[in-house]
């Protein structure tokens, strides 16, 4: 039955793609079996990340970029991530509203997802969903996330090209530019460029980018693109910038380097999570972890001893 | 209004009463919960002159027909003539709706109010794919000037006044109306009526938008400018709080956001170069009326005062008519319950009473079966009779602003006025109404109030008769009014014939001209009139602008 | 395996713009721990079903106040079946005459919630009727 799903995904069946993403969301065992089968069919899609604070117009931009890709005959998969409420566990996933004009286009598949509280981290899930869309034959996969926290930065490492969206009036530019965003931004987008303060924001970002580029002597200086997404203004410039970055990555060999780095990181993380999952499950048997905690609390044992003991049971000591 | 010494005495007296007489009663039988108005304004046990300490009679209340119009816009209000009784009606074909209009006029109704079906309002013809299932459902199916002729057959348009609920597509429908009136032999300057033409609230809450904010505002102002020149008795916009309230706002928010929209339209007209005293007298408003009678009365009085001040101080109006908040009211559709529907007659009566005490210009009363279906003829008659009873028998209309001077009413009026002004300040600080809408501020404020209200019903904190209190089993209501799905098929067939028999060359020429004019700054109205006379349909006119202006892609804000 | 969430599409079919109920319920569903995709206004049955498919929704909630329910609601169920999504729970609300409800249920709409229904009743119904994927 799982092999049927594999075949259907490779044929691009939206039903199969959708169901398998649900398995990934639920950390369902079936997902793992299936992912092994489709892995060899991934790596063809170009991965684009779009991130920014709430209210910056990301989904409108995603919609515009998708429209442009479709006009060039490219198919598009979209994974739009919105936060779950830490209190109720529920989520309002509002990105689909902006994508109405693609809703009956078979060349576009869009999936909204909530951050939930993934044991394996949000990034791991997103990578899985992206691979499924990739294997289903989409030319581009767009990953859209809200916010600028560490989780989002990790998610954005999945992308080949990352666009960071800023708007005038939110006042968090400097803040966000410090928080690791500088490292991941390949393109800056100043959206809502028709609003007051846009020019100032533009020069501010441009200044920081130049400063940063000169210090690090980077070969790619992130361009700063001005858009009014609701009116479709600046979409062409953004598409051009994305294409330029892609060309740069491909011609300089950086794309492979980037993907190699990503694969390394991803593999280590997956091993980490899998080991953690197994050990955690085993320690839960017979409430062994509970008795350990009690002993540590009573100072009968130190946590350091416990680590050695537990890890030593299954793994030879590191040299 | 009160002498300082006198006030001190009353304050001391109230304190004594509160700590003595009242406290004694409360110690035996405490009050159940914090009391509020229906919108949630906290209400005290008792109001006295002490809560009205800042009330200067001459400057805050004054006299009816005089600035700041708190007590009403006409000197003698309903002692001269009652308000216009105007029932919003329309369903099925133009022919069926025409029959309903003639019935209502025969029953003593004094004005018409056209309900268009949703495709017309959204600028689609009846045979457009998005019109599937909607044809004739919530209003009359009007696609072209031929339908408009049938709609007003044997109704002299120079004698009745007509209100038309259409916004983004307003220019096309007004064009048809003016042309039909002309065919009947009437002159533009004999025509009286109102067209809603309020596109901002469509974006905020009603959903019948077509174009992005800037071009849709341009069409709005084109219509206003045209009427100001050629149809002087026409109210060229009806700035609507009705739907804001229906979507869950409080009474104060209803007034605040409607006035904020009003400011945006006034600014747009001023930017067009129309002098304020030329357009402002024709800005009209449209509000809701809920069942909390006293809160509603205070709301109307407060809004009149705020609007007068804004027009005088901000827009430098000189003509008193520019400062008058003139408005139509519809009783609160959302207050009606599907449970025990006859109870709705009582709600509508109280809402009508509140409206009359508040001092309005025209009124639609809802039918008690509207939470179930489109209103049936019997229910419409009761609704109209409700207005007539309040007008003729209740005593609300024998003097002007009869609740003025009530300590509670004056307190509440001030309170709501302050809340409105606070919102206007906030919206100004954001950069104006369009920005506040663009950022979803107004939408979120409304949704939040809707949410809090629902929570208070779900928890039982607020009693809603028949819904969460005094409920009972009841048999389903039958004999509902239904619109036959056949209306859609027949209309599609008729449209095909219409398109086949019109003069194709003239039709095409008129639409090409409209396209060209729309790309310039020239007022589109004359060209729209040419196009509809040449047989262009609502959908065809609106499609020209979809090409030129693009379509509004909604932003939905869920708070 | 992680905890499963109920995923619900809240949609407004047709041209009706009254979205107070749809938006309010979206918020209530999210507070009840569900993952809510609100599609916005002017949805055709095809668009709603495509959303249900791509989102792998457990539930589709339809809201209509313009009297088009007899056309739209069954159409959504029919298209869901055609897309092999017969397991999706379809519920509706809005201004819907009681006498229409038997026909709608026969067409596959699981429940119709009229004006004044407590939101808890709606949430409970969905929780106890959602089907396993």
């Amino acid at each position: 039955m799982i092999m049927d799903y594999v075949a259907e995904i490779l044929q691009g069946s939206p039903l199969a793609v959708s169901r398998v993403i649900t398995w990934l969301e639920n950390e369902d065992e079936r997902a793992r079996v299936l992912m092994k089968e489709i892995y060899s069919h991934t790596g063809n899609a170009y991965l684009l990340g779009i991130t920014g604070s709430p209210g910056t117009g990301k989904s409108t931009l995603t919609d515009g970029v998708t429209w442009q890709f479709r006009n060039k005959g490219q198919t598009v998969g979209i994974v739009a991530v919105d936060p779950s409420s830490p209190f109720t566990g529920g989520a309002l996933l509002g990105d689909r509203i902006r994508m109405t004009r693609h809703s009956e286009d078979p060349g576009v598949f869009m999936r909204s997802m909530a951050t939930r509280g993934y044991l394996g981290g949000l990034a791991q899930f997103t990578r899985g969903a992206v691979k499924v869309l990739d294997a289903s034959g989409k030319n581009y996969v767009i990953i859209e996330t809200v916010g600028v926290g560490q989780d989002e930065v990790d998610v954005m490492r999945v992308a080949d090209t990352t666009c960071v969206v800023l708007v005038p009036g939110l006042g968090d530019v400097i803040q966000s530019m410090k928080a690791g965003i500088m490292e991941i931004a390949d393109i800056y987008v100043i959206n809502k460029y028709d609003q007051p303060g846009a020019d100032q924001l533009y020069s501010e970002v441009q200044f920081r980018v130049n400063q940063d580029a000169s210090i690090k002597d980077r070969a790619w200086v992130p361009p700063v693109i001005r858009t009014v997404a609701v009116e479709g203004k600046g979409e062409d410039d953004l598409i051009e910038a994305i294409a330029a970055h892609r060309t740069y990555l491909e011609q300089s060999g950086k794309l492979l380097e980037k993907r190699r780095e990503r694969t390394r990181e991803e593999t280590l993380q997956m091993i980490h999570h899998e080991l953690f999952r197994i050990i955690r499950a085993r320690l839960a048997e017979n409430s062994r972890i509970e008795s350990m905690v009690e002993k540590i609390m009573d100072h009968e044992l130190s946590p350091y001893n416990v680590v050695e003991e537990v890890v030593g049971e299954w793994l030879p000591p590191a040299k | 209004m009160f002498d300082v010494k006198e006030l001190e005495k009353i304050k001391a007296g109230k304190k004594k009463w509160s700590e003595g007489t009242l406290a004694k009663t409360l110690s035996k039988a405490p009050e159940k919960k914090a009391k509020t108005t229906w919108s949630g304004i906290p209400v005290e046990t008792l109001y006295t002159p002490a809560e009205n300490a800042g009330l200067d009679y001459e400057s805050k209340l004054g006299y009816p027909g005089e600035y700041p119009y708190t007590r009403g816009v006409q000197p003698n209000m309903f002692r001269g003539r009652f308000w216009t009784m105007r029932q919003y009606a329309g369903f099925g074909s133009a022919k069926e709706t025409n029959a309903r209009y003639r019935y209502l006029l025969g029953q003593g109704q004094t004005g018409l109010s056209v309900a268009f079906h949703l495709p017309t309002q959204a600028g689609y013809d009846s045979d457009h794919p998005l019109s599937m299932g909607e044809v004739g459902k919530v209003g009359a199916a009007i696609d072209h000037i031929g339908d408009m002729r049938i709609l007003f057959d044997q109704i002299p348009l120079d004698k009745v006044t007509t209100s038309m609920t259409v916004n983004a597509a307003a220019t096309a429908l007004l064009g048809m109306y003016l042309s039909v009136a002309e065919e009947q032999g009437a002159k533009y300057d004999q025509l009286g009526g109102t067209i809603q033409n309020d596109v901002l609230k469509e974006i905020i809450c009603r959903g019948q938008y077509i174009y992005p904010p800037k071009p849709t505002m341009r069409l709005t102002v084109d219509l206003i400018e045209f009427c100001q020149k050629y149809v002087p008795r026409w109210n060229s916009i009806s700035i609507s709080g009705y739907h804001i309230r229906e979507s869950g706002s409080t009474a104060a928010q209803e007034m605040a956001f409607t006035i904020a929209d009003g400011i945006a339209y006034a600014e747009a007209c001023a930017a067009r170069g129309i002098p304020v005293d030329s357009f402002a007298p024709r800005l009209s408003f449209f509000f809701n009326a809920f069942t909390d009678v006293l809160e509603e009365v205070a709301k109307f009085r407060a809004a009149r005062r705020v609007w007068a001040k804004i027009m005088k101080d901000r827009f430098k109006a000189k003509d008193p008519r520019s400062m008058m908040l003139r408005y139509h009211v519809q009783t609160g559709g959302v207050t009606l319950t599907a449970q025990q529907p006859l109870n709705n007659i009582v709600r509508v009566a109280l809402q009508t009473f509140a409206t009359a005490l508040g001092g309005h210009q025209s009124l639609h009363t809802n039918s008690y079966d509207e939470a179930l279906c489109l209103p049936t003829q019997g229910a419409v008659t009761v609704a109209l009779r409700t207005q007539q009873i309040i007008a003729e028998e209740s005593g609300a209309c024998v003097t002007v602003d009869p609740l003025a001077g009530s300590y509670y009413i004056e307190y509440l009026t001030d309170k709501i006025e302050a809340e409105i002004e606070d919102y206007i300040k906030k919206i100004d600080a954001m950069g104006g109404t369009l920005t506040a809408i663009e950022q979803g501020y107004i939408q979120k404020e409304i949704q939040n109030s809707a949410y809090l209200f629902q929570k208070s019903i779900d928890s039982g904190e607020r009693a809603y008769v028949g819904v969460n209190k005094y409920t009972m089993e009841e048999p389903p209501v039958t004999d509902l009014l239904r619109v036959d799905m056949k209306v859609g098929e027949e209309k599609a067939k008729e449209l095909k014939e219409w398109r086949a028999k019109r003069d194709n060359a003239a039709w095409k020429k008129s639409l090409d001209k409209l396209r060209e004019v729309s790309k310039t700054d020239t007022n589109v109205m004359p060209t729209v009139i040419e196009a509809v006379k040449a047989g262009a349909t609502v959908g065809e006119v609106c499609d020209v602008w979809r090409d030129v202006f693009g379509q509004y892609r909604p932003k939905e804000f869920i708070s | 395996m992680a905890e499963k969430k109920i995923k619900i599409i809240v949609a407004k079919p047709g041209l009706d713009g009254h979205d107070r109920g749809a938006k309010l319920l979206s918020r209530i569903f999210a507070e009840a721990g569900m993952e809510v995709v609100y599609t916005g206004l002017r949805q055709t049955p095809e668009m709603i079903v495509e959303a249900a498919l791509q989102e792998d929704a457990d539930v589709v909630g339809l809201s209509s106040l313009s009297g088009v329910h007899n056309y739209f609601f069954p159409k959504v169920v029919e298209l869901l079946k055609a897309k092999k999504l017969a397991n999706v729970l379809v519920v509706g609300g809005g201004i819907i005459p009681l006498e229409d409800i038997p026909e709608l249920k026969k067409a596959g709409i699981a429940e119709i919630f009229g004006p004044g229904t407590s939101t808890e009743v709606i949430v409970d119904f969905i929780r106890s009727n959602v089907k396993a994927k």
Side-chain angles (χ1 to χ4, degrees):
Chain A
M1 174 240 189
I2 285 189
M3 290 316 287
D4 293 345
Y5 274 93
V6 172
E8 281 183 36
I9 285 176
L10 297 182
Q11 284 160 18
S13 148
L15 186 65
V17 168
S18 185
R19 183 53 47 86
V20 171
I21 294 178
T22 304
W23 291 345
L24 286 162
E25 279 182 308
N26 293 340
E27 299 180 328
D28 186 312
E29 189 53 32
R30 283 172 287 186
R32 185 212 301 268
V33 179
L34 184 130
M35 293 307 283
K36 284 195 277 194
E37 298 297 327
I38 64 165
Y39 182 75
S40 60
H41 300 278
T42 62
N44 304 314
Y46 193 78
L47 313 182
L48 178 68
I50 298 181
T51 191
S53 305
T56 47
K58 290 174 302 297
S59 20
T60 312
L61 271 174
T62 302
D63 169 63
V65 167
T66 304
W67 184 253
Q68 299 283 342
F69 285 152
R70 291 299 294 139
N71 286 343
K72 294 185 195 331
Q74 304 290 304
T75 55
V76 184
I78 303 158
V79 180
V81 186
D82 274 321
S84 297
S85 157
F87 305 109
T88 65
L92 279 167
L93 309 171
D95 296 299
R96 212 175 175 89
I97 296 168
R98 316 290 205 272
M99 307 294 296
T100 307
R101 61 174 159 167
H102 307 292
S103 59
E104 287 177 72
D105 176 355
V108 178
F109 183 100
M110 181 195 177
R111 181 61 169 258
S112 321
M113 61 159 284
T115 52
R116 298 195 184 172
Y118 290 105
L119 288 176
L122 177 60
Q124 180 167 341
F125 163 74
T126 317
R127 279 193 293 256
V130 166
K131 286 198 181 78
V132 174
L133 288 166
D134 182 350
S136 80
K138 294 285 181 275
N139 303 118
Y140 282 88
V141 176
I142 304 178
I143 307 136
E144 185 197 318
T145 63
V146 183
V148 285
Q150 191 53 48
D151 246 14
E152 287 74 23
V153 170
D154 286 347
V155 171
M156 280 303 142
R157 290 189 201 282
V158 176
D160 297 320
T161 297
T162 297
C163 307
V164 172
V165 189
L166 304 166
V167 289
L170 279 187
D172 62 345
V173 179
I174 304 303
Q175 209 53 36
S176 66
M177 291 186 76
K178 278 177 188 164
I181 283 288
M182 279 306 259
E183 289 172 53
I184 60 159
D186 301 306
I187 296 167
Y188 288 96
V189 181
I190 314 282
N191 192 26
K192 306 192 181 177
Y193 205 79
D194 53 348
Q195 289 189 5
D199 281 319
Q200 199 195 331
L201 177 63
Y202 175 76
S203 10
E204 213 171 302
V205 176
Q206 196 64 271
F207 174 75
R208 294 200 138 244
V209 165
N210 290 333
Q211 207 183 28
D212 183 67
S214 59
I215 292 167
K216 290 193 178 165
D217 197 23
R218 284 210 233 163
W220 173 260
V221 180
V224 187
I225 309 295
R226 291 166 282 192
T227 60
V228 184
V230 284
E231 292 170 26
K233 285 184 190 150
E235 265 172 21
D236 299 353
D237 297 344
L238 179 55
I239 291 292
E240 249 173 62
I242 293 166
H245 186 242
R246 181 175 185 170
T247 308
Y248 157 76
L249 288 178
E250 284 170 352
Q251 289 180 356
S252 65
K254 290 258 161 100
L255 184 62
L256 278 181
E257 201 180 297
K258 205 169 178 169
R259 288 186 173 183
R260 180 173 296 114
E261 178 55 33
R262 200 159 72 209
T263 304
R264 175 182 301 118
E265 191 71 11
E266 197 179 315
T267 308
L268 281 169
Q269 271 184 25
M270 285 168 70
I271 294 170
H272 169 93
H273 291 306
E274 186 56 14
L275 279 177
F276 182 66
R277 193 183 67 82
I278 295 170
I279 293 181
R280 198 172 145 123
R282 293 197 182 162
L283 288 181
E285 287 165 18
N286 308 325
S287 303
R288 190 170 158 209
I289 181 71
E290 295 311 320
S291 61
M292 282 173 168
V293 169
E294 285 314 309
K295 284 183 186 151
I296 296 170
M297 288 297 289
D298 294 342
H299 293 83
E300 266 179 53
L301 273 177
S302 87
Y304 308 98
N305 299 100
V306 170
V307 169
E308 270 183 22
E309 182 195 322
V310 169
V311 176
E313 276 176 41
W314 292 296
L315 295 173
K319 281 174 194 155
Chain B
M1 207 158 92
F2 302 96
D3 176 84
V4 183
K5 271 192 198 152
E6 183 80 10
L7 272 177
E8 286 307 314
K9 235 166 59 190
I10 293 169
K11 271 185 198 158
K14 188 180 173 189
K15 190 159 180 273
K16 201 173 141 212
W17 165 83
S18 165
E19 290 165 0
T21 315
L22 176 65
K24 216 161 89 190
T25 302
L26 293 185
S27 70
K28 284 184 220 144
E31 288 174 0
K32 272 170 283 172
K33 285 170 207 138
K35 300 288 179 207
T36 68
T37 63
W38 192 254
S39 292
I41 298 173
V43 178
E44 282 188 51
T45 313
L46 187 75
Y47 288 86
T48 69
E51 288 76 37
N52 291 184
L55 187 68
D56 178 62
Y57 184 86
E58 293 287 328
S59 70
K60 291 193 93 170
L61 299 182
Y63 301 90
E66 290 181 11
Y67 186 84
Y69 303 101
T70 311
R71 306 206 59 184
V73 297
Q74 286 129 9
N76 61 346
M77 289 305 291
F78 308 130
R79 289 169 66 95
R81 72 171 188 88
F82 294 133
W83 58 88
T84 306
M85 298 182 188
R86 197 190 289 284
Q87 298 297 86
Y88 182 59
F91 63 94
S93 64
K95 204 171 159 207
E96 285 170 275
T97 303
N98 173 266
R100 174 71 70 94
Y101 289 167
R102 288 201 272 153
Y103 168 80
L104 284 168
L105 291 171
Q107 293 302 308
Q109 172 166 309
T110 47
L112 293 175
S113 177
V114 185
F116 295 106
H117 73 165
L118 291 174
T120 301
Q121 297 192 42
Y124 295 114
D125 287 337
S126 293
D127 55 356
H128 188 278
L130 268 171
S131 306
M132 277 301 285
E134 304 274 12
V135 178
K137 277 281 153 59
V138 301
I142 305 296
D143 291 314
H144 49 68
I145 192 169
D147 293 327
M148 196 66 106
R149 274 179 204 126
I150 298 170
L151 190 66
F152 293 108
D153 182 38
Q154 297 178 56
I155 298 171
L157 295 184
D158 56 344
K159 301 284 192 308
V160 297
T161 60
T162 305
S163 168
M164 289 190 277
T165 299
V166 59
N167 297 276
T171 45
L173 277 299
L174 183 66
M176 290 178 193
Y177 184 88
L178 295 177
S179 306
V180 167
E182 221 174 21
E183 287 172 10
Q184 288 188 359
K187 299 266 176 304
Y188 280 3
D189 61 8
Q190 293 174 303
L191 301 177
T194 305
I195 191 151
Q196 203 162 69
N197 198 24
D198 171 9
V199 288
L200 292 178
K201 65 94 176 46
E202 298 298 332
I203 292 173
I204 292 174
C205 64
R206 191 167 171 271
Q208 302 308 324
Y209 42 70
I210 306 177
Y211 314 108
K214 281 178 213 161
T216 203
M217 282 287 276
R218 175 250 169 114
L219 293 177
T220 291
V221 178
D222 276 3
L223 191 155
I224 294 175
E225 188 182 42
F226 181 85
C227 287
Q228 176 244 325
K229 283 189 186 141
Y230 306 109
V231 201
R233 288 178 54 220
W234 199 270
N235 296 311
S236 45
I237 190 165
S238 173
I239 307 160
S240 308
Y242 179 79
H243 318 92
I244 290 174
R245 190 73 180 281
E246 287 288 296
S247 41
S249 82
T250 64
Q253 286 171 337
E254 174 193 356
M255 299 332 236
F257 300 146
T258 311
I259 288 174
D261 286 347
I263 292 172
Y265 292 120
E267 279 170 352
C269 290
R272 181 70 67 93
I274 315 174
V276 59
D277 287 322
S278 302
F279 69 80
R282 283 293 158 202
L283 300 179
S284 67
F285 290 80
F286 172 24
F287 296 114
N288 211 313
F290 272 32
T291 317
D292 181 337
V293 174
L294 302 173
E295 180 175 53
E296 296 303 304
V297 173
K299 161 190 104 173
F300 290 126
R301 301 172 85 241
R304 272 198 296 270
R305 191 150 78 203
V306 174
W307 183 249
K309 266 192 279 188
I310 287 171
M311 290 318 288
K312 187 167 183 241
D313 299 341
R314 187 190 285 224
F315 290 96
K316 311 290 176 214
K318 296 280 183 295
D319 185 340
R321 293 177 310 145
S322 300
M323 304 172 207
M324 295 178 189
L325 182 89
R326 294 170 308 114
Y327 58 88
H328 172 72
V329 174
Q330 180 171 340
T331 56
V334 81
T335 68
L336 305 182
T337 61
Q339 297 81 358
Q340 306 171 39
L342 288 174
N343 294 348
N344 293 328
I345 297 177
V346 180
R347 293 193 175 96
V348 172
L350 285 166
Q351 293 163 2
T352 305
F353 191 51
T355 305
L357 293 171
H360 61 302
Q361 278 60 54
S362 63
L363 175 64
H364 164 103
T365 35
N366 289 324
S367 303
Y368 64 84
D369 54 3
E370 280 182 58
L372 304 168
C373 64
L374 288 169
T376 54
Q377 189 127 316
V380 172
T381 310
V382 174
L384 179 60
R385 295 288 178 259
T386 305
Q387 294 201 38
Q388 291 158 342
I389 292 169
I390 301 288
E392 306 278 359
E393 301 177 19
S394 76
C397 307
V398 293
T399 187
V400 176
D401 190 21
L403 294 190
S406 145
Y407 306 126
Y408 177 49
I409 281 289
E410 296 302 350
Y411 166 81
L412 211 48
T413 304
D414 281 2
K415 174 89 187 160
I416 291 174
E417 176 188 31
E419 216 176 300
I420 298 171
E421 287 181 335
D422 196 44
Y423 268 122
I424 302 291
K425 253 186 229 147
K426 270 191 203 144
I427 291 168
D428 281 344
M430 280 179 190
T433 311
L434 285 174
T435 313
I437 295 172
E438 148 87 8
Q439 293 180 0
Y441 171 74
I442 293 177
Q443 297 91 314
K444 284 186 210 164
E445 287 290 299
I446 298 169
Q447 281 166 36
N448 205 43
S449 298
Y451 173 81
L452 293 176
F453 179 79
Q454 184 63 41
K455 284 273 154 190
S456 74
I457 298 295
D458 282 350
S459 69
E461 184 192 326
R462 185 190 301 276
Y464 210 149
V465 175
V467 174
N468 67 357
K469 206 172 180 183
Y470 315 114
T471 54
M472 62 187 206
E473 290 297 318
E474 43 190 335
V477 182
T478 50
D479 292 334
L480 302 172
L481 178 69
R482 288 178 183 280
V483 176
D484 204 318
M485 286 292 280
K486 272 209 289 265
V487 176
E489 292 160 29
E490 280 162 16
K491 200 72 192 72
K493 203 172 125 227
E494 185 278 332
L495 263 170
K496 218 169 155 189
E497 288 163 17
W498 176 268
R499 293 194 185 107
K501 73 179 182 211
R502 68 191 169 192
D503 175 348
N504 226 33
W507 164 78
K508 186 171 180 309
K509 207 176 130 207
S510 74
L511 285 183
D512 288 345
K513 187 174 168 194
L514 180 62
R515 187 182 306 272
E516 289 319 306
V517 168
S518 303
K519 288 177 190 163
T520 68
D521 287 340
T522 311
N523 193 314
V524 295
M525 268 312 287
T527 326
V528 171
I529 291 172
E530 282 175 41
V532 298
K533 278 184 179 167
T537 63
V538 174
E540 288 160 353
V541 169
C542 291
D543 275 348
V544 166
W545 292 323
R546 284 190 181 94
D547 282 352
V548 178
F549 300 143
Q551 294 194 55
Y552 177 62
R553 279 188 286 148
K555 293 188 163 190
E556 304 288 354
F557 299 91
I558 301 177
S559 56
Chain C
M1 210 151 100
E3 186 201 351
K4 282 183 189 153
K5 299 276 180 191
I6 295 175
K7 196 163 197 182
I8 179 165
I9 307 274
V10 176
K12 295 254 346 143
L15 292 171
D16 173 30
H18 295 93
D19 57 2
R20 172 184 178 161
K23 284 181 171 171
L24 187 72
L25 279 167
S26 294
R27 183 166 168 182
I28 302 263
F29 292 149
E31 284 183 359
M34 300 181 200
E35 291 179 349
V36 187
V37 177
Y38 178 55
T39 61
L41 304 177
R42 297 193 192 173
Q43 300 290 301
T44 62
E46 288 78 8
M47 289 159 89
I48 294 166
V49 170
E50 198 54 41
L53 171 68
Q54 295 184 7
E55 300 292 350
D56 200 11
D58 303 288
V59 188
V60 170
L62 301 169
S63 158
S64 163
L65 284 81
S66 68
V68 297
H69 49 271
N70 288 335
Y71 167 72
F72 276 101
F73 291 9
K75 183 89 189 161
V76 167
V77 175
E78 184 189 309
L79 289 174
L80 281 170
K81 282 187 189 145
K83 295 252 178 186
K84 299 189 200 158
L85 295 169
N87 254 359
V88 175
L89 182 73
V90 181
V91 293
I95 298 196
I96 293 164
L98 290 176
E99 57 181 23
D100 288 2
I101 294 177
E103 267 309 300
L104 290 171
K105 286 196 173 170
K106 220 157 68 189
I109 291 93
E111 192 54 276
I112 296 288
F113 302 102
T117 312
S118 147
T119 58
E120 282 161 41
V121 170
I122 304 175
V123 168
D124 287 346
F125 180 86
I126 289 172
R127 280 201 181 125
S128 34
N129 288 278
V130 71
K131 294 160 203 161
K133 281 188 219 177

